[in-house]
Amino acid sequence: MCGIAGYHGVPGGIARDRLLADMAAAVLHRGPDATGIHVGDNFGFAHTRLSIIDLAGGAQPMADTDGELWLTFNGEIFNYVELRQDLIARGHRFRTASDTEVILEAYRAYGRDCVKHFNGDFAFALWDSRKQRLMLARDRMGVRPLFYTQRQGCLYFASAIRALLQVPGVAAEIDPFALDQTFTIWFPLAPRTIFKDIAELPPGHLLLADADHVHVEPYWQLAFPDADDIVAHDQRDPRQLADELQALLIDATRIRLRADVPVGAYLSGGLDSSIVTAIMKRLVPDQLRTYSVAFEDAEFDERGFQDVMARALDTDHHVVLCTEDEIGRRFPEVVAHAERPLVRTGPTPLHMLSELVHRQGLKVVLTGEGADEVFAGYDIFKEAKLRRFCAAQPASKRRTLLLQRLYPYLSQLKTQSQSYREAFFLGSGDDLGDPLFSHLPRVRTTQGAKVFYSRELRGALSGYDALADLRERLPERFARWHPLSQAQYLETAFLLPGYILSSQGDRVAMAHAVEGRFPFLDPRVIDFAAKLSPRQKLRVLREKHILREATRDLLPDNIADRPKQPYRAPDSRSFFGAGGRDYVEAALAPDALAASGLFEAGAVQKLLRKCAAGRAVGARDNAAFVGILSTQLLIRQTAGTAAASSIQAA
């Protein structure tokens, strides 16, 4: 795991080696072990290294034996051992034991199609001097970040936007359309970022740049079988499917243990992280270090289940206690690393957790992310199924009573009337034909924050519809998929890379130079799960059915049968204790709001007083408050107070 940066072309306004040094310094937190720079004729690469594989021989930027190919690489190729053996059989020779050199030799063998051979989490830049071409590549699921911008005929790229801001003339101007996407679906839709003219390479994509053109193309896309073809996948023996899944998960975990440094695990106490940790313990019986977040508030705390697993596996277990004051205190730093507005505080406790891991000297942890998307574990999947069930007989009160079974951990929802639940979850009958049907209740909640938009922002957004933008990005075959597959695609292709693996994953882990690895996002596991019948994943209202069956022998019964409890953290109430009040009031002061030009100062001041008094109403008020606050903080952090002029020009 590392930080990368560089350019293709001829930079202006600064010496090339100085520019690369400045860009490297901006991503030093991602790779504090070493820094390397290479200046070529019309390209330059920088690299900050977190040494994990081949500690002595894996320095970067790295060239091939002929000096014709150069690489700067962030991430890991988990199947590099097998690829190396295949390439040696084809006549390739290696000087190092690193996965970095495997990328170079795979490119020599397969060209741009080398990425299709990689099982890994990666973002890299490769310069081909024969073709005078730069290739940028990002892993299938978007685990590792890669941003780029163009200025005066030169293309710049980096692992973090802050590195691009070192380029003379590149400014952090808020993109109003990306902001509206954030206040609709929680994140900007790639290639947009929150900053105008700074792009994100989408997951599963390549960027190819030569002297005349910059071209972006996909090399992989998540897909599901058509609903009419699903029956064929139900013919296999369920036990055989479960055994095959367990074998896949064991091997996905095995290759993610490849490292020349110790590897730990995040243990939340839920099903997914418990499965990963249990498999790790089988593969590496020695003392395993595990890490968890605990909360003062019992509504969020899962210590009881964490302790059950830690004792069952006899791990060396460590816990970080996250208080509301600590969330408030750390939130500005988390926003700075996320490099985008946040509508939830969830990334903050995970930022604390990675700091604990770093303090104990570990660089790598395995986690359970991805299982909920891949095996239909989120409550939103059950919710969509119930909503469709109720819509089939809208007059049936017995059916709508089933809505009471949703979200038992949300105390406010449990106290609402049945009529409120019906109005919120069932919405309009017209929703059924919407390809975004499964996610519309969540969207309605987040969109409530738009009442705080300024007149200028509303004007800049005139005629723009973030949901229409999202619908246009759906695959051509989307309408032919089963409704559960459609909902899974929305979670996996958009929310997973856009929020879970970024703001709540890579950005807060790598803030402390900790690499997360995700066995459930192994391409073989994703492909296996996508082909499964929906009933193998969501059996009536039992989420992750086949995953539970496949791993029951690994877990204590009270973990194996535990219902899903999503990870959450206290929101607006975290900002009014000792940790946050001063900067909150400064960021949301009328003059600060007027300077950004994004939000109506009077309305925001009312929301501020409401939240300070502990009267925030559910997810809508909390998302609005956190989103507005984080936007204002981001503007201050990037000195991007040109937001108002950006809006006026949009």
Side-chain angles (χ1 to χ4, degrees), residues 295-421:
F295 294 95
E296 289 181 312
D297 191 330
E299 181 180 352
F300 308 104
D301 192 56
E302 299 182 73
R303 267 176 288 189
F305 295 102
Q306 295 163 3
D307 291 343
V308 166
M309 278 306 301
R311 287 196 301 269
L313 298 176
D314 188 27
T315 69
D316 179 13
H317 190 57
H318 305 268
V319 179
V320 61
L321 179 63
C322 182
T323 65
E324 291 177 7
D325 275 357
E326 195 62 25
I327 290 176
R329 182 175 296 108
R330 287 176 179 260
F331 190 68
E333 183 180 356
V334 171
V335 172
H337 281 287
E339 299 187 313
R340 62 179 58 174
L342 302 172
V343 296
R344 304 181 74 184
T345 61
T348 313
L350 296 173
H351 180 266
M352 296 174 60
L353 188 61
S354 67
E355 182 182 56
L356 172 62
V357 173
H358 176 75
R359 285 203 312 266
Q360 294 201 356
L362 263 66
K363 298 179 179 181
V364 182
V365 291
L366 268 60
T367 87
E369 266 81 12
D372 288 312
E373 292 82 2
V374 174
F375 292 102
Y378 286 128
D379 286 316
I380 199 169
F381 301 129
K382 291 188 286 188
E383 174 193 304
K385 186 173 184 177
L386 278 181
R387 288 168 55 219
R388 290 185 184 278
F389 182 69
C390 292
Q393 293 186 17
S396 171
K397 292 300 179 183
R398 292 183 62 187
R399 291 193 173 207
T400 57
L401 285 174
L402 291 171
L403 296 173
Q404 297 176 4
R405 297 176 61 178
L406 293 173
Y407 308 107
Y409 46 83
L410 295 180
S411 55
Q412 288 183 321
L413 188 59
K414 286 192 292 187
T415 62
Q416 295 290 351
S417 66
Q418 179 65 11
S419 59
Y420 172 87
R421 278 191 286 266

Side-chain angles (χ1 to χ4, degrees), residues 229-245:
D229 297 335
I230 283 175
V231 175
H233 296 282
D234 264 343
Q235 304 307 310
R236 294 182 59 189
D237 176 65
R239 188 63 255 167
Q240 182 184 2
L241 284 172
D243 291 344
E244 183 178 341
L245 175 55

